[in-house]
Amino acid sequence: SADDDDDGGESGGIQPFELEKSDSRRIHDDDYRSKRRTCIFTAVCIFALMSVIAYDAHLESSISIPAKFHHFGGGGSKSQPKAEEDESKDSSPEESADDAPYDPAPRRVFCYGDSLTYGMAGMHSPHEGPYPYSEYLQRELNYLYDPEYIPKTYNTSSDSVPPTIVDHMGLPGWTAAQMVDHLHDDKNGLCSIIHNIPKLTLLIVLVGTNDIAQMTNAGRDVGRSIISKIVDVHKGAFECANDADMGVEVTRHNPRRRDLHTLAVGIPGSAFQQRVPSAYETMSYVNGAMKSFASSYGPSGSGGKVTFVDFPIPYKEGEDKFWSEDGIHLNKEGYEAL
């Protein structure tokens, strides 16, 4: 019946107000869960951020960052004391990390010349020597830079690299003119030597004995000719150094070869010069002119690229402590003294 239908509908169905109440509760629950998730996420983020800040502060307080590395970041200069910041600002370019001081070791020196550089002991003693003074020079320089590096007795069996390496090329019988003519020779030329030793900083030139011995005339004209050729040896060395720099990137670890300096050793005396006064006069004239050249050759005539030194062992006939019997060459003791 209709009444039964109405009773059944009231007892078995869901009334509208109950639906509205259910929807409202569901919306409230969803909103609550959303807010809770937001709060939890925010709390996690804050905790993580605080942890990072605390860890970074711990690192900065426990690790001292040298001032010279400040420009790389990673803590920066803000975490450093003011005194250290000032030290960083005042530090020279050589102290920066990307421009570290150039380490020249091993220093490279080369001795170039005639039979006196070769170490010939004398024409009357062909089976003696040679005794190149470069070996003794290397020993003394290394002992000077580091007294504990090598013993006073020269030792060639050491596997370690010495602070200084001194090489040599002696060309018996050669004059300065021959050295100039063979400047670019692959075997004996100065250019090949300079190109093959990138860190060469000092070239020692000892030449002129044969130029004096081979004189056929006397006078200032002969002396000026010898001077010109010896000067050309030095100038040629600098030109070769500049040519070697062409196309080479210059860095602290690859310095320009044009930093090369030369040492001009004066022409020594000899028995021949004592017997032929004009030869002695020419030797003295050449040495005086080379001294003047050395004092003025350099940027704007200020010198500094060439140094002149008189031959340190005078020749006196009858006093053969350091000289061989031919009156031209040194003996073993003489080369060591040189």
Side-chain angles (χ1 to χ4, degrees), residues 1-13 15:
S1 64
D3 293 339
D4 293 336
D5 292 338
D6 292 339
D7 293 341
E10 292 177 0
S11 61
Q15 299 302 317

Side-chain angles (χ1 to χ4, degrees), residues 45-61:
C45 290
I46 293 174
F47 177 77
L49 180 61
M50 292 179 66
S51 298
V52 171
I53 294 174
Y55 181 70
D56 187 56
H58 170 71
L59 286 181
E60 291 186 353
S61 64

Side-chain angles (χ1 to χ4, degrees), residues 14 57 123 184 211 220 265 296:
I14 299 176
M123 292 182 290
H184 298 279
D211 300 76
R220 292 296 176 90
V265 182
S296 61

Side-chain angles (χ1 to χ4, degrees), residues 108-113 133 165-170 190 193 197 200-205:
R108 299 300 299 268
V109 178
F110 199 93
C111 306
Y112 190 74
Y133 74 87
I165 296 176
V166 183
D167 295 305
H168 76 281
M169 177 175 287
L190 263 180
I193 295 169
I197 308 178
L200 180 62
T201 55
L202 178 63
L203 174 70
I204 301 176
V205 179

Side-chain angles (χ1 to χ4, degrees), residues 237-254:
F238 293 123
E239 291 174 1
C240 292
N242 291 338
D243 291 342
D245 284 337
M246 299 300 293
V248 177
E249 182 180 359
V250 179
T251 65
R252 295 291 295 176
H253 302 286
N254 187 22

Side-chain angles (χ1 to χ4, degrees), residues 138-153 163:
Q138 175 171 304
R139 180 194 68 189
E140 294 301 322
L141 287 176
N142 287 331
Y143 188 73
L144 175 67
Y145 286 121
D146 184 2
E148 298 181 357
Y149 177 75
I150 56 175
K152 292 184 178 180
T153 303

